[in-house]
Amino acid sequence: MYLGEVCTAAGERWELQLKGAGPTPFSRQADGRKVLRSSIREFLCSEAMFHLGIPTTRAGACVTSQSTVVRDVFYDGNPKYEKCTVVLRIASTFLRFGSFEIFKSADEHTGREGPSVGRNDIRVQMLDYVIGTFYPEIQAAHADNSVQRNAAFFREVTRRTARMVAEWQCVGFCHGVLNTDNMSIVGLTIDYGPFGFLDRYDPDHVCNASDNAGRYAYSKQPEVCKWNLQKLVEALEPELPRELGEAILAEEFDAEFRRRYLQKMRRKLGLVHAELEDDGVLVAKLLETMHLTGADFTNTFRLLSSFPVGPEPQGMPEFLDALTAQCASLEELKLAFRPQMDPRQLSMMLMLAQSNPQLFALIGTRASVTKELERVEQQSRLEQLSSAELLSRNRSHWADWLQEYRARLEKDREGAGDSDTWQAERLRVMRANNPKYVLRNYIAQNAIEAAENGDFSEVRRVLKLLEAPYHREGEAAEVPEAEGAGGAHSGGRSYGSKPPLWAAELCVT
């Protein structure tokens, strides 16, 4: 529900929008309400992303009441009453890729078509408005040629989207629902639903409990964003010829994503002077090592800034101890890879896949069964592994990668001249690009549980931490943890430390 727009003296333009204020003519059969749980998550995460330096909508306010609605949180037949809440959202615009899909012609499979199919006059008006308002430099440069103007507009949207998703990947952010209606036409992170930040690094991590096929898994986000841009190309035709739009997409997206991703990763690793061709390989090996050891994504990067460098580095055993402490314990791995199906159900599915492939295709996907088999195999291996063996294996994996990292840092130092100046610059850059605080699901859950009991102090405390995510001693004072603060599950734990075991079982929809 729009309140209006504000244009500042500095030339900024902000739209004010209420989410959860009730039904509108566009609410279909829904009640138009938002609940406290999801409102706090959106409020905190949009602010967290802003302070991480990632383009995003903002949260102006979060207001709750005693009014309630019924929600079946996990779609399991156990609905409950939840408090109604309204979030004030702020952005330069809330227009999305999906806004242009109202013109789409009938789908060849379903026959469904956009409500404004055939109304190219409206599409022209929308393009004139979007480009003239949010891309005025493109409008000015191509005022006499609409096709060139629209091509330049799509090129810039492609680049912004590629940069945005590269930033997501570098902080371990998973959106959760990346359909075309959740993609901003100006390259903002928009619509915070079942999002999540990686704890244990897993490229196949899915943060949305209802995404059974893993379409929006962490590693697939760049691919999905590119797919959504393809849908935007189709929605802009004929004002942007499809062949031209597809050529721009092929030329720009992958190259821009790789450029921004590698640029950011170099800074996260403290490679501040030389840019080498093999840096992408070094990053890939780091992520592979994190995956093999179940390392915490955020804390591992943060810890690397204390890696001992120099001709005769001191404290390497202690550093390896600290690094392996961020890896998943045997208990965590057993929890993460526990089978999701009853053994009898899995056996029946396998028999059905062999005897009646057509029926099997209707009731379950081969991918899900394959994944379940992998879980069973992994669980079996873990049962035969001791904690001491796991620790030894993890130390070996990390020692191998750190040897390559040390050699790469030496090359970077050689190009810098003065070693002390290089070291100071390396630490400054790493600390400015590796956050100490991100909005992990369990942190949000602690704040939600306290708020549902009428205590909003935890929401405010978490917000203060997220406003200084790159906190460094001597730069920004951390909000002291009050006795008992942090919700029912915190146990006095610092939000900058490795998450507790129960956090792995949180389910977000």
Side-chain angles (χ1 to χ4, degrees):
M1 186 179 292
Y2 277 91
L3 298 184
E5 61 186 41
V6 176
C7 296
T8 70
E12 298 170 317
R13 180 185 179 281
W14 300 103
E15 292 181 1
L16 308 180
Q17 182 187 83
L18 297 180
K19 186 173 181 179
T24 72
F26 309 99
S27 296
R28 298 185 293 272
Q29 287 76 45
D31 56 33
R33 297 292 184 183
K34 191 169 170 64
V35 297
L36 181 61
R37 162 179 47 85
S38 60
S39 298
I40 287 176
R41 285 175 58 82
E42 173 156 0
F43 176 79
L44 289 175
C45 197
S46 55
E47 290 304 284
M49 293 292 272
F50 173 77
H51 291 287
L52 285 168
I54 299 173
T56 179
T57 59
R58 300 290 303 276
C62 182
V63 181
T64 192
S65 72
Q66 296 303 313
S67 302
T68 59
V69 286
V70 177
R71 292 288 188 265
D72 188 348
V73 181
F74 300 115
Y75 308 105
D76 59 359
N78 294 297
K80 68 173 185 176
Y81 285 96
E82 297 191 65
K83 289 183 179 179
C84 294
T85 307
V86 176
V87 174
L88 172 65
R89 303 199 302 184
I90 305 168
S92 55
T93 181
F94 287 94
L95 284 168
R96 305 110 186 282
F97 293 6
S99 303
F100 283 91
E101 290 189 296
I102 62 173
F103 310 108
K104 290 197 73 171
S105 55
D107 183 89
E108 61 178 315
H109 302 293
T110 65
R112 296 176 65 184
E113 61 185 20
S116 298
V117 64
R119 292 298 305 273
N120 197 52
D121 57 320
I122 303 178
R123 177 166 27 215
V124 171
Q125 282 184 301
M126 282 182 65
L127 276 167
D128 288 347
Y129 169 74
V130 169
I131 299 173
T133 306
F134 306 109
Y135 298 90
E137 67 288 350
I138 291 176
Q139 177 65 43
H142 303 284
D144 57 347
N145 189 315
S146 63
V147 172
Q148 287 185 7
R149 181 200 69 168
N150 297 342
F153 157 69
F154 180 70
R155 187 181 300 276
E156 181 59 23
V157 173
T158 298
R159 288 173 176 171
R160 289 191 188 189
T161 303
R163 291 194 293 266
M164 175 188 70
V165 70
E167 295 281 350
W168 291 355
Q169 301 304 100
C170 288
V171 295
F173 174 75
C174 305
H175 186 283
V177 188
L178 279 175
N179 55 38
T180 53
D181 214 37
N182 286 343
M183 299 291 296
S184 164
I185 206 71
V186 292
L188 303 176
T189 310
I190 194 169
D191 274 7
Y192 294 90
F195 66 83
F197 284 86
L198 292 177
D199 291 332
R200 175 178 60 85
Y201 177 72
D202 177 6
D204 298 322
H205 176 71
V206 177
C207 66
N208 181 354
S210 61
D211 182 10
N212 298 319
R215 175 175 173 79
Y216 304 125
Y218 166 77
S219 61
K220 292 182 180 177
Q221 291 187 137
E223 173 190 333
V224 171
C225 287
K226 186 177 181 181
W227 188 90
N228 286 330
L229 284 161
Q230 172 64 36
K231 298 297 111 180
L232 179 59
V233 167
E234 296 168 13
L236 293 178
E237 197 175 28
E239 291 309 301
L240 176 65
R242 184 182 295 198
E243 298 78 10
L244 178 55
E246 289 176 344
I248 291 169
L249 182 57
E251 177 187 343
E252 294 288 350
F253 184 86
D254 291 340
E256 186 70 8
F257 172 81
R258 283 194 298 267
R259 186 194 66 79
R260 176 55 70 94
Y261 179 78
L262 198 50
Q263 177 191 60
K264 184 77 173 181
M265 280 295 184
R266 283 191 181 106
R267 297 181 73 79
K268 288 174 76 69
L269 292 176
L271 307 177
V272 293
H273 282 279
E275 294 185 1
L276 303 183
E277 274 189 33
D278 289 344
D279 287 346
V281 176
L282 181 70
V283 171
K285 287 183 177 179
L286 167 61
L287 296 178
E288 182 183 3
T289 304
M290 291 173 72
H291 190 206
L292 286 170
T293 62
D296 184 87
F297 185 86
T298 299
N299 291 355
T300 298
F301 273 108
R302 184 80 180 180
L303 190 58
L304 286 174
S305 63
S306 60
F307 177 59
V309 295
E312 296 182 8
Q314 302 294 314
M316 190 61 188
E318 292 79 7
F319 179 79
L320 265 176
D321 287 343
L323 197 55
T324 52
Q326 293 302 326
C327 297
S329 66
L330 195 56
E331 189 179 11
E332 288 175 74
L333 292 174
K334 286 180 179 178
L335 185 63
F337 290 101
R338 70 190 186 282
Q340 303 294 302
M341 292 183 188
D342 182 277
R344 291 170 297 180
Q345 179 189 4
L346 179 59
S347 179
M348 289 177 62
M349 294 285 277
L350 290 171
M351 290 174 59
L352 185 62
Q354 291 183 333
S355 62
N356 194 332
Q358 291 81 12
L359 179 59
F360 172 72
L362 292 174
I363 63 173
T365 65
R366 189 170 297 277
S368 64
V369 172
T370 300
K371 192 163 187 177
E372 186 66 10
L373 288 171
E374 290 172 356
R375 285 177 174 275
V376 172
E377 184 181 349
Q378 179 75 351
Q379 191 73 235
S380 176
R381 286 198 297 264
L382 290 171
E383 291 296 339
Q384 301 170 33
L385 190 68
S386 70
S387 295
E389 289 170 331
L390 178 64
L391 178 60
S392 176
R393 190 175 70 180
N394 287 346
R395 288 180 74 91
S396 177
H397 285 313
W398 278 112
D400 289 344
W401 183 81
L402 289 171
Q403 189 174 356
E404 294 189 38
Y405 182 42
R406 182 185 302 284
R408 178 61 182 88
L409 286 172
E410 276 302 304
K411 291 179 181 177
D412 201 69
R413 185 187 61 79
E414 288 168 6
D418 182 67
S419 291
D420 290 342
T421 302
W422 169 80
Q423 173 70 344
E425 176 70 0
R426 168 181 165 264
L427 292 178
R428 184 191 67 79
V429 168
M430 291 186 77
R431 287 168 177 165
N433 285 274
N434 291 310
K436 180 176 181 180
Y437 304 113
V438 293
L439 186 62
R440 301 175 188 263
N441 275 334
Y442 89 96
I443 297 176
Q445 186 61 28
N446 281 339
I448 289 166
E449 289 181 11
E452 287 179 334
N453 290 317
D455 178 7
F456 285 84
S457 63
E458 183 66 8
V459 175
R460 297 188 187 97
R461 188 178 85 87
V462 171
L463 180 60
K464 285 294 182 186
L465 294 181
L466 298 174
E467 286 174 349
Y470 303 102
H471 164 75
R472 195 176 139 203
E473 287 73 19
E475 288 188 348
E478 182 171 346
V479 179
E481 184 155 358
E483 186 176 351
H489 296 296
S490 75
R493 177 183 297 271
S494 163
Y495 284 154
S497 62
K498 187 180 172 186
L501 189 61
W502 64 266
E505 296 192 277
L506 275 176
C507 184
V508 182
T509 59

